[in-house]
Amino acid sequence: MDVEAQLQSLKDKYKTVEVEKPIPVEFDLRNLAAFDQNPIDPKALAAGKVAYLNSLARDGAQLLLNQIFALPTETSAEGVFAKLPNATTTLPRAKPVPKAKSMTRWEKFAKAKGIQKTKKSRMQFDEASGEFKPQWGYKGTNNDTNDWLIEVPENGDPDEDQYEKRREEKKERVDKNKKQQRRNLEEAAATAAGKNPREVRKAELQKKILESKASTASLGRFDAQLKNEDKIKVKRGKRKFEADTVDAGVDKESALNVAQKVLSGGDSKVLNTAKAVRHLHKTGGTRQVASEERKKFRKSK
């Protein structure tokens, strides 16, 4: 058995891990990238395009793996991991950098007063039921509308429904919270656009007042003015009226135009043919209509 021949066959089958390049290859190990700036050999590329490109890709991957295996490692329960260095290549973002979220009124107040936000557990032990329940939200401990007994206050009305009172108070708190949340979103949108939230709100109110004034029959002409209200101009369209006395030729021409439209049936807005046919069928047809017209004519005589 020729050992040297077997070694030579293995050497020909598997390439060495040592790769030499005329120009050193640059690496960005954080992004697992290698940058090979060596020129391509045109003769080798023409001789075998696929084989030459596969050889270049193999050499680049081998150099990258050599660099990775030379890094310091750390062992954990999941295996051995290499500690990658910081990235050296700045990659473009797929999406623009998100804008900083504008602060709410409470966040501004807390920052001015130095109030630190502390994380509080949502679950709380309920002594009445002996179970852990959320402090707020669905089945929360702060929901006092399901108590089996509610004590009437000292100065309270004994005939007042305390359960209904608590439900109304809870509904008012929820509505107030939603209103404040909507106001915060509007102020945040105005601040992000570089506008003063108060001025945006004032312009919105003026727009609503203008719309309400324009909704009346007189377009706000006879509406009562509020105290210290600025004068708002409502754009009113000018109404056009035809003259009471017109030339006989003009009157005749307009009547002929109407008759021509009706008889030709070209304008469906003037005469709805389908509706007229349905009306005739309901009244008994053209003969019935003609007989009724003759009866009316005889009575008139």
Side-chain angles (χ1 to χ4, degrees):
M1 187 175 184
D2 192 356
V3 179
E4 292 183 0
Q6 290 185 357
L7 291 175
Q8 186 63 34
S9 64
L10 290 174
K11 186 177 180 181
D12 296 338
K13 185 177 180 181
Y14 300 104
K15 293 185 178 181
T16 178
V17 297
E18 296 179 0
V19 180
E20 295 182 359
K21 294 280 187 179
I23 302 175
V25 179
E26 298 179 359
F27 299 96
D28 185 1
L29 299 180
R30 186 72 180 185
N31 295 316
L32 301 180
F35 304 97
D36 188 0
Q37 299 180 3
N38 290 279
I40 296 175
D41 188 359
K43 294 182 179 179
L45 183 64
K49 183 177 180 181
V50 177
Y52 180 68
L53 293 178
N54 287 339
S55 175
L56 288 179
R58 181 263 166 195
D59 293 343
Q62 185 62 61
L63 289 172
L64 181 61
L65 290 174
N66 292 343
Q67 293 290 326
I68 292 174
F69 276 96
L71 292 173
T73 59
E74 61 180 5
T75 306
S76 67
E78 298 179 357
V80 181
F81 298 91
K83 295 181 179 179
L84 299 178
N86 296 329
T88 58
T89 307
T90 304
L91 297 177
R93 289 178 58 91
K95 295 181 180 180
V97 180
K99 297 180 180 179
K101 190 177 179 181
S102 57
M103 300 173 65
T104 61
R105 289 193 176 188
W106 164 250
E107 290 173 346
K108 292 177 181 178
F109 176 78
K111 185 178 180 181
K113 297 296 182 179
I115 301 174
Q116 298 293 332
K117 185 177 180 180
T118 56
K119 190 173 181 180
K120 191 166 54 173
S121 176
R122 186 169 183 268
M123 304 303 291
Q124 187 181 30
F125 183 76
D126 186 18
E127 296 181 357
S129 61
E131 297 177 354
F132 280 94
K133 292 185 178 181
Q135 297 187 31
W136 60 88
Y138 179 65
K139 293 185 178 180
T141 56
N142 64 338
N143 186 10
D144 55 357
T145 59
N146 296 326
D147 292 344
W148 70 276
L149 180 65
I150 300 177
E151 183 180 359
V152 179
E154 249 183 68
N155 301 327
D157 185 5
D159 297 329
E160 186 180 14
D161 188 355
Q162 299 299 322
Y163 291 98
E164 184 66 24
K165 182 181 179 181
R166 286 190 177 183
R167 283 193 292 268
E168 290 295 330
E169 290 176 351
K170 182 180 179 181
K171 186 179 179 181
E172 290 177 0
R173 291 195 300 268
V174 172
D175 293 341
K176 181 182 178 182
N177 190 15
K178 288 182 178 179
K179 184 179 179 181
Q180 290 177 345
Q181 185 180 9
R182 186 168 58 251
R183 181 198 61 196
N184 287 337
L185 292 175
E186 292 174 356
E187 290 183 356
T191 306
K195 301 178 181 178
N196 187 359
R198 289 181 176 272
E199 295 297 328
V200 173
R201 182 61 179 164
K202 184 178 179 181
E204 185 68 21
L205 289 174
Q206 287 181 349
K207 181 182 177 182
K208 295 296 182 184
I209 293 172
L210 185 62
E211 290 177 356
S212 65
K213 285 184 176 297
S215 63
T216 58
S218 62
L219 297 178
R221 187 187 298 273
F222 304 108
D223 292 353
Q225 295 289 330
L226 299 175
K227 187 178 180 181
N228 300 328
E229 180 184 2
D230 296 334
K231 189 175 181 180
I232 301 175
K233 293 183 179 180
V234 181
K235 293 183 179 179
R236 304 177 178 87
K238 293 184 179 179
R239 300 177 63 184
K240 295 181 180 179
F241 299 95
E242 294 183 359
D244 295 333
T245 56
V246 294
D247 189 13
V250 176
D251 192 11
K252 180 180 179 181
E253 185 179 357
S254 62
L256 288 174
N257 289 336
V258 172
Q260 185 177 2
K261 286 182 181 180
V262 172
L263 295 175
S264 63
D267 194 351
S268 59
K269 295 180 180 179
V270 177
L271 177 63
N272 192 336
T273 310
K275 188 174 180 181
V277 171
R278 287 197 302 269
H279 178 70
L280 283 175
H281 281 295
K282 287 180 180 179
T283 54
T286 54
R287 292 182 179 179
Q288 182 69 21
V289 174
S291 63
E292 290 179 359
E293 291 294 332
R294 285 196 297 271
K295 289 178 181 179
K296 289 180 182 180
F297 179 73
R298 289 170 184 172
K299 288 181 180 179
S300 63
K301 284 186 175 181

